[in-house]
Amino acid sequence: MRYRMLGDVRVGAIGLGAMPLSIEGRPDEARALATVHAALDAGVTLLDTADSYHPPGGEAGEGELLVARALASYGGRTDDVLVATKGGRGRTPDGGWTVDGRPAHLRRAAEASARRLGVEAIGLYQLHKPDPQVPYAESLGAMRELLDAGTIRLAGVSNVDVEQIVLARRILGERLASVQNRYSPEVRTTEAELRLCAELGLVFMPWSPLGGISRSSLDGTSALREDRRFGGFHRVARARGVSPQRVALAWLLSRGETMLPIPGASRPETARDSAAAAELVLSPTELAELSV
């Protein structure tokens, strides 16, 4: 496993997105725990979840409780594992998603997340999405209060544009550590945000990083058939004798030292395959084929 710096913490260059383990279509508990354990065995040290990662009608924080159980039941070392969670979103009974960026809600949500994770301070707490009904500066102010109070160690923002990143940096300073936006072979619309993160030294954690190669957890977990638009990933994969998903993650890592993909997984073998992407170094010729 290669490593990257997230704030002042060294983490594996590939993380694990735990969303598929706790939303609709999730595996049973035994397989979910085995998936997290397989990722840890493979050198993954960043686990990403959220208080809203639960099925419709479920309880807030089910995903966080699962991550806590996985760490507690793991037989190896966990003191170097950074758990990242998010607040500011919720679920509706029909499976939709809500947004709540009110400062009072964020403070309560972070405190509840810390209790569920069983920690005094959350390693990385991310504002899940800007709330159009709340000035973004007010939501960020709540994040600053959580940092000052020691409820969270590092802060991150998600689903943001360049102006919002700049504002977050102004309000949170050096304690802003990460940005989590959608980015993948299929979705490359956040290039400006990726460049800004590189300039500021912020980790860019792409969610749904395998888009175009696999489905997002938001769309379902079954594999897609080969898409001609992304044929280069499949051609390189066949030549290398690896999965196209592993090639896609290696391609993402090549985009810069601040890139840190967090692919989801719901099976141990998938978690192991994703982690192995950290050791796959693509040639300039291969990268040129994948960048079209």
Side-chain angles (χ1 to χ4, degrees), residues 82-83 110 114 117-124 146 149-154:
L82 177 67
V83 176
L117 291 170
V119 297
E120 293 184 4
I122 297 170
L124 173 65
L146 290 167
T151 307
I152 66 177
R153 287 196 59 244
L154 295 169

Side-chain angles (χ1 to χ4, degrees), residues 5-7 169 176-178 195-203 258:
M5 294 303 298
L6 198 163
R169 183 57 174 261
L176 176 67
S178 65
R195 288 193 298 270
L196 180 59
C197 286
E199 293 171 9
L200 297 177
L202 302 175
V203 160
T258 58

Side-chain angles (χ1 to χ4, degrees), residues 60-196:
E62 289 185 28
E64 294 168 329
L65 290 169
L66 174 68
V67 168
R69 290 195 296 273
L71 290 173
S73 60
Y74 183 59
R77 177 182 174 185
T78 60
D79 59 338
D80 60 344
V81 176
L82 177 67
V83 176
T85 190
K86 296 179 285 294
R89 299 207 76 178
R91 302 300 306 273
T92 61
D94 63 355
W97 298 80
T98 60
V99 183
D100 190 343
R102 294 172 298 164
H105 170 77
L106 294 173
R107 287 191 291 267
R108 290 193 301 269
E111 291 165 359
S113 291
R115 288 193 297 271
R116 286 188 289 263
L117 291 170
V119 297
E120 293 184 4
I122 297 170
L124 173 65
Y125 193 66
Q126 302 158 97
L127 183 54
H128 207 151
K129 187 176 184 178
D131 185 343
Q133 304 302 317
V134 178
Y136 198 48
E138 292 184 11
S139 299
L140 291 169
M143 298 286 284
R144 183 174 59 194
E145 291 176 7
L146 290 167
L147 287 163
D148 292 341
T151 307
I152 66 177
R153 287 196 59 244
L154 295 169
V157 291
S158 183
N159 298 298
V160 287
D161 59 27
V162 165
E163 291 183 1
Q164 290 163 334
I165 296 172
V166 171
L167 179 60
R169 183 57 174 261
R170 186 184 312 144
I171 291 174
L172 302 175
E174 297 294 328
R175 294 181 293 180
L176 176 67
S178 65
V179 170
Q180 188 174 145
N181 279 6
R182 190 167 196 171
Y183 192 90
S184 66
E186 182 179 32
V187 178
R188 308 186 193 185
T189 55
T190 55
E191 292 284 355
E193 290 77 13
L194 175 58
R195 288 193 298 270
L196 180 59

Side-chain angles (χ1 to χ4, degrees), residues 21-32:
L21 302 176
S22 55
I23 64 167
E24 48 268 44
R26 61 189 175 182
D28 61 38
E29 173 111 349
R31 197 174 90 187

Side-chain angles (χ1 to χ4, degrees), residues 250-266:
W251 170 76
L252 285 167
L253 288 174
S254 75
R255 300 304 314 277
E257 288 299 314
T258 58
M259 177 71 81
L260 204 167
I262 46 170
S266 59

Side-chain angles (χ1 to χ4, degrees), residues 1 3 9-16 39-40 43-47 80-83:
M1 176 63 70
Y3 293 90
V9 182
R10 192 180 82 142
V11 295
I14 297 288
L16 174 68
L40 297 174
V44 169
T45 60
L46 172 65
L47 306 178
D80 60 344
V81 176
L82 177 67
V83 176

